[in-house]
Amino acid sequence: MPLKNRPEKSAELRELALFSNMDDAHFDMLTRGAYVQNFPPAIELIAEGEPSDFLFVVIEGSVELFANWNERETTMATIRPVSTFILAATVKNAPYLMSARTLEKSRLILLPSEGVREVFDLDAAFARSVVTELAQCYRQTVKQSKNLKLRTSLERLANYLIRYNDTNGDNNAFTLPTEKRRLASYLGMTPENLSRAIKSLQQYGVMFDGQHVSITDDKELRQLAKPTPLIDDPNL
Amino acid sequence: MPLKNRPEKSAELRELALFSNMDDAHFDMLTRGAYVQNFPPAIELIAEGEPSDFLFVVIEGSVELFANWNERETTMATIRPVSTFILAATVKNAPYLMSARTLEKSRLILLPSEGVREVFDLDAAFARSVVTELAQCYRQTVKQSKNLKLRTSLERLANYLIRYNDTNGDNNAFTLPTEKRRLASYLGMTPENLSRAIKSLQQYGVMFDGQHVSITDDKELRQLAKPTPLIDDPNL
DNA sequence: CATCGAGGTTGACTAATGTCAATTATATGG
DNA sequence: CCATATAATTGACATTAGTCAACCTCGATG
């Protein structure tokens, strides 16, 4: 359904940091050819290598970004509401480097890439927001590379748990937001290896019960994980 | 020495994609407090975690970006003339995520970050160039993550050699641009493991003689490496 | 309620990669 | 040109991580 028929969704979009400071007229241009669309779970939205026709915004549900090579696959990120994905491909008018699929029933806004690039040239405030967003994405992947190159898979898991706990109530108890096999892929390991890593973490003060995690000895866990903002702070 | 005393260096800077489309007055603002400076080899220019006071431009020589964690170190990138580094930290006014050191005698331009951010708000053309540059950097690190997560170290080396050959004359013969231990670190492996990988590549049509490399059987090497533009094309 | 199937776990094994120590090659400065 | 330091290589071994197959668990469904 065209976005213009859904003013409440349009308002939601407008509140995103990326779009909040731009001119009204430009926002209208941007959303003119936009659609709000519902997708069932496990739908492949885009495939790596395709031209970037749309900028996507996740309104509800969740989307997995992943990549393939030589029969292998890895999860690059999970996008949750409300945020955009594949902004870089859109502004560069270059092929997607990642594929995307819905993880669950999801509602997305599709903004034609053409419009994003046009408005980008017209609206300085929007351009500034794009820069901030891109810089953020860039730094996120730099941290991701450091994580992969400097840490073992056990250390990556330990830090993932600390980070997730910190950003979700800090109660030392939470439920994993994804299936373990996806978490494994995200962390750059196999499901089997994750299973074993989970077992190993018992001696460092982490209890697993299915999807439920409780950190029983925060100090012990941090001693293993040695978290640093320069890798683990999502806001840096 | 202040950049304004070195008009020829200023001109060189102006030709960079990042600065070529901006207004003259803004370019002057940007370079007002800038310095041209020579550094000996192995000087640590910045350390991760420090506030981003300057945007750096490599004019001559080469600079290694690296990161540390828990007594471990890894090479993230090597910057060669003429290009900038740590743009994202500058525009976000956030701490550096990587450290930098000169690899050899190098000449750099230091642009005060403050000025970069100011001019960014004033000059739409500059803002656009920053976006393009950041999008490029972002996509580069996404490719880097895919490379790390989807390939073994032997495959990474094989692809590195193909890529380097492709972008440097395509003669199937070239000299490694860095020490092997730095190449190893860049590829996410130990020097010992690189030594062994080099040996293994003999059976895939690559001959090493010290720093000199010749590809004797391009087809065989490609069959192992399976290069794809979505990981290996630096321009994508 | 029984069945089915996907995700998860476990064990046994293999492959990839890292570590340490010793040795050899290479480059550099006196 | 030699002395020295650093890089590179090699062998032996340890650790980390992946593979494969079997099995378990749990929820969905007929």
Side-chain angles (χ1 to χ4, degrees):
Chain A
M1 181 187 298
L3 180 61
K4 59 185 172 192
N5 301 343
R6 301 298 299 275
E8 80 286 6
K9 293 298 162 197
S10 182
E12 203 166 337
L13 192 63
R14 192 73 159 107
E15 277 168 26
L16 271 184
L18 190 57
F19 305 112
S20 59
N21 295 310
M22 67 194 303
D23 192 271
D24 276 332
H26 296 145
F27 183 73
D28 289 345
M29 274 182 69
L30 197 63
T31 55
R32 193 162 299 154
Y35 287 82
V36 184
Q37 214 164 327
N38 292 310
F39 294 92
I43 293 294
E44 187 159 324
L45 301 164
I46 59 176
E48 53 181 312
E50 291 177 350
S52 53
D53 295 329
F54 292 98
L55 173 64
F56 289 78
V57 186
V58 183
I59 300 295
E60 284 174 39
S62 54
V63 171
E64 177 180 34
L65 300 185
F66 63 101
N68 290 94
W69 179 78
N70 192 28
E71 318 286 287
R72 300 172 209 165
E73 176 172 322
T74 190
T75 298
M76 302 292 288
T78 304
I79 313 293
R80 298 179 191 287
V82 179
S83 40
T84 66
F85 59 93
I86 47 132
L87 180 58
T90 296
V91 302
K92 282 211 71 172
N93 196 13
Y96 299 132
L97 294 178
M98 298 183 275
S99 305
R101 69 166 73 94
T102 52
L103 286 175
E104 53 192 310
K105 197 164 167 300
S106 300
R107 190 193 305 270
L108 307 181
I109 295 176
L110 287 68
L111 297 164
S113 294
E114 187 65 39
V116 175
R117 289 190 292 271
E118 273 175 36
V119 172
F120 175 81
D121 286 332
L122 297 172
D123 193 300
F126 180 56
R128 198 193 204 316
S129 304
V130 170
V131 163
T132 304
E133 183 103 351
L134 278 179
Q136 180 67 31
C137 291
Y138 171 48
R139 286 166 64 89
Q140 198 52 50
T141 58
V142 167
K143 285 180 270 177
Q144 177 78 6
S145 280
K146 289 170 65 173
N147 198 26
L148 285 167
K149 292 180 81 177
L150 292 167
R151 288 174 172 161
T152 65
S153 60
L154 185 65
E155 290 165 342
R156 292 197 295 275
L157 173 61
N159 278 291
Y160 174 87
L161 296 174
I162 290 173
R163 203 183 328 148
Y164 191 83
N165 183 57
D166 283 357
T167 54
N168 290 276
D170 211 359
N171 298 318
N172 289 336
F174 57 89
T175 303
L176 289 178
T178 53
E179 292 167 303
K180 285 182 185 169
R181 65 199 187 97
R182 288 183 210 283
L183 175 58
S185 179
Y186 173 70
L187 293 174
M189 59 206 289
T190 57
E192 293 95 328
N193 193 13
L194 175 61
S195 258
R196 286 163 188 139
I198 284 171
K199 262 189 156 175
S200 308
L201 282 187
Q202 283 179 12
Q203 58 197 105
Y204 294 98
V206 185
M207 292 290 302
F208 274 80
D209 178 19
Q211 299 271 103
H212 189 76
V213 183
S214 38
I215 298 174
T216 55
D217 187 343
D218 182 82
K219 194 158 158 263
E220 190 72 17
L221 179 60
R222 282 176 186 272
Q223 203 158 337
L224 168 70
K226 297 184 174 61
T228 163
L230 296 176
I231 300 180
D232 304 295
D233 186 339
N235 300 314
L236 215 63
Chain B
M1 181 186 299
L3 180 61
K4 59 185 171 192
N5 301 344
R6 302 296 301 275
E8 81 285 7
K9 293 298 162 197
S10 184
E12 203 166 337
L13 192 64
R14 191 72 160 106
E15 278 168 25
L16 271 183
L18 190 56
F19 306 113
S20 59
N21 295 310
M22 66 194 303
D23 192 272
D24 276 331
H26 296 144
F27 183 73
D28 289 345
M29 275 182 69
L30 199 61
T31 55
R32 193 163 297 152
Y35 288 83
V36 184
Q37 214 164 328
N38 290 311
F39 293 92
I43 293 295
E44 188 159 324
L45 300 164
I46 59 177
E48 54 180 313
E50 293 176 351
S52 53
D53 297 328
F54 292 98
L55 174 64
F56 289 79
V57 187
V58 183
I59 300 294
E60 285 173 39
S62 55
V63 171
E64 177 181 35
L65 301 184
F66 63 101
N68 290 94
W69 179 78
N70 192 29
E71 319 286 285
R72 299 171 208 165
E73 177 173 322
T74 190
T75 298
M76 302 292 286
T78 305
I79 313 293
R80 298 178 191 288
V82 178
S83 40
T84 66
F85 60 93
I86 46 132
L87 181 57
T90 296
V91 301
K92 282 211 72 175
N93 195 12
Y96 299 133
L97 294 178
M98 299 183 274
S99 306
R101 69 166 74 94
T102 52
L103 287 174
E104 53 192 309
K105 198 162 165 298
S106 299
R107 189 193 306 269
L108 307 180
I109 296 176
L110 286 67
L111 297 165
S113 294
E114 187 64 40
V116 175
R117 289 190 292 272
E118 273 175 35
V119 172
F120 175 83
D121 284 332
L122 296 172
D123 193 301
F126 179 56
R128 165 129 51 104
S129 302
V130 171
V131 164
T132 304
E133 182 104 350
L134 278 179
Q136 180 67 33
C137 290
Y138 171 48
R139 287 166 64 89
Q140 198 53 51
T141 59
V142 168
K143 285 179 270 177
Q144 178 76 8
S145 280
K146 289 171 65 173
N147 198 27
L148 285 167
K149 292 181 80 176
L150 292 166
R151 288 174 171 160
T152 65
S153 58
L154 185 64
E155 290 164 341
R156 292 197 294 274
L157 173 61
N159 279 291
Y160 174 87
L161 296 175
I162 290 173
R163 204 183 326 149
Y164 192 84
N165 184 57
D166 284 356
T167 53
N168 290 278
D170 212 359
N171 298 317
N172 289 336
F174 57 89
T175 303
L176 289 177
T178 52
E179 292 167 303
K180 285 181 185 169
R181 66 199 187 99
R182 287 183 210 282
L183 175 58
S185 179
Y186 173 69
L187 292 174
M189 60 206 286
T190 57
E192 294 94 328
N193 194 12
L194 175 59
S195 259
R196 286 163 187 140
I198 284 171
K199 263 190 156 177
S200 307
L201 282 187
Q202 284 178 12
Q203 58 195 105
Y204 293 99
V206 185
M207 292 289 302
F208 275 80
D209 178 19
Q211 300 271 105
H212 189 76
V213 182
S214 39
I215 298 173
T216 55
D217 187 343
D218 182 82
K219 194 158 158 263
E220 189 71 18
L221 179 60
R222 281 175 187 272
Q223 202 158 337
L224 168 71
K226 298 187 175 59
T228 163
L230 297 175
I231 299 180
D232 304 295
D233 186 339
N235 301 314
L236 213 61

